[in-house]
Amino acid sequence: MTSTNFRPKYVSYDVYGTLINFNIYPTTQRLLDGRIPDEQWLAFKKIFRAYRFDEVNGDYTPYEQILQDAFDRACKRFGVGPTPGAGAELAEAVRNSGAHEDVPAALKLQGDNYKLVALSNADNSFLDISIPKLGAEWHAVFTAEQARAYKPRLQAFEYMLDTLNAKPEDFLHVSSHPLYDHIPMYNLGFRDLVMLDRGAEPFAPGYNIFTVKSLDELNKHLGL
């Protein structure tokens, strides 16, 4: 995707991390205060991320439970007992997160010219709060709760396709998460894939992923 003549039917987005500044780590650190040595924090953060990915590969459960189970599994690895209520506090941190600074104006411009679609790894109640923070008009917002599956499970993407009666070639998809979005979508036949680089995940060569640093940069490629 390098030409300003390219015009997809839909521009679809991951939401948390890509558009919303997903930052649950201050809450995570507070929940761990005095329970693990400071020098173990980065290792805990890494394994907590890994367990969140592992949890969403199973059967659908509410996102708050995903956070609770992943946190407790990470704690167990570090010799820390379960933390009742951790999922609720982490979920609240997600709901309180705001948009990345480059998002509202650029996304509004996209929404004025393209049909925007969100496919998010959260429940309806999260998107009801987060989508209005993005400042754009949306053609459709799909959640893991609706699909009964989280990305990277193909069922999540199939739900989007089936609901819109669309094909993979109808989409330009934007995400900061190759593991959750780009790789499974490529395997399902999507080819117009954009990584909005937020510095959160490594690149995934070989999956036809076009990289941009901001939505303003993407808008230039979309001829806006």
Side-chain angles (χ1 to χ4, degrees):
M1 192 213 76
T2 58
S3 171
T4 56
N5 294 322
F6 176 67
R7 187 167 185 86
K9 184 174 181 179
Y10 303 106
V11 180
S12 56
Y13 277 93
D14 167 69
V15 176
Y16 293 106
T18 302
L19 300 176
I20 293 288
N21 185 10
F22 179 86
N23 186 9
I24 61 173
Y25 295 116
T27 299
T28 306
Q29 285 184 299
R30 179 173 54 77
L31 290 167
L32 290 171
D33 188 32
R35 303 173 76 191
I36 66 171
D38 291 344
E39 60 268 23
Q40 291 185 351
W41 161 244
L42 291 180
F44 184 95
K45 182 178 178 181
K46 184 177 181 179
I47 199 66
F48 182 31
R49 178 194 291 267
Y51 278 130
R52 294 199 308 274
F53 181 77
D54 190 60
E55 286 291 332
V56 297
N57 278 279
D59 292 337
Y60 171 81
T61 57
Y63 190 55
E64 183 176 309
Q65 191 64 49
I66 294 285
L67 294 169
Q68 179 73 57
D69 293 344
F71 184 77
D72 284 343
R73 290 175 71 186
C75 284
K76 184 178 179 181
R77 285 285 299 272
F78 285 80
V80 176
T83 308
E89 293 194 48
L90 292 163
E92 188 63 17
V94 175
R95 293 189 186 97
N96 288 336
S97 297
H100 285 286
E101 289 185 1
D102 67 312
V103 168
L107 196 64
K108 182 182 185 306
L109 179 59
Q110 280 186 30
D112 289 342
N113 291 273
Y114 290 92
K115 293 179 179 179
L116 299 183
V117 174
L119 179 61
S120 179
N121 261 12
D123 301 332
N124 297 345
S125 64
F126 288 78
L127 277 300
D128 288 344
I129 293 171
S130 296
I131 286 292
K133 297 178 182 180
L134 299 175
E137 181 177 345
W138 291 84
H139 177 73
V141 177
F142 300 124
T143 70
E145 181 179 0
Q146 295 165 7
R148 310 309 291 178
Y150 289 92
K151 301 176 294 184
R153 292 192 58 201
L154 299 185
Q155 180 178 329
F157 305 105
E158 290 171 331
Y159 178 81
M160 178 177 71
L161 290 172
D162 292 345
T163 304
L164 292 173
N165 191 27
K167 303 180 292 292
E169 53 265 35
D170 292 330
F171 292 83
L172 171 73
H173 186 76
V174 187
S175 175
S176 299
H177 308 293
L179 278 176
Y180 286 87
D181 289 67
H182 301 121
I183 294 173
M185 293 183 84
Y186 184 90
N187 291 337
L188 200 57
F190 291 81
R191 290 296 179 268
D192 295 310
L193 304 170
V194 175
M195 180 170 178
L196 178 52
D197 183 13
R198 299 293 188 191
E201 290 191 16
F203 296 94
Y207 288 94
N208 204 53
I209 302 170
F210 183 81
T211 302
V212 297
K213 293 288 188 180
S214 70
L215 288 189
D216 285 328
E217 182 181 348
L218 177 58
N219 279 347
K220 291 178 182 178
H221 289 285
L222 290 171
L224 303 177

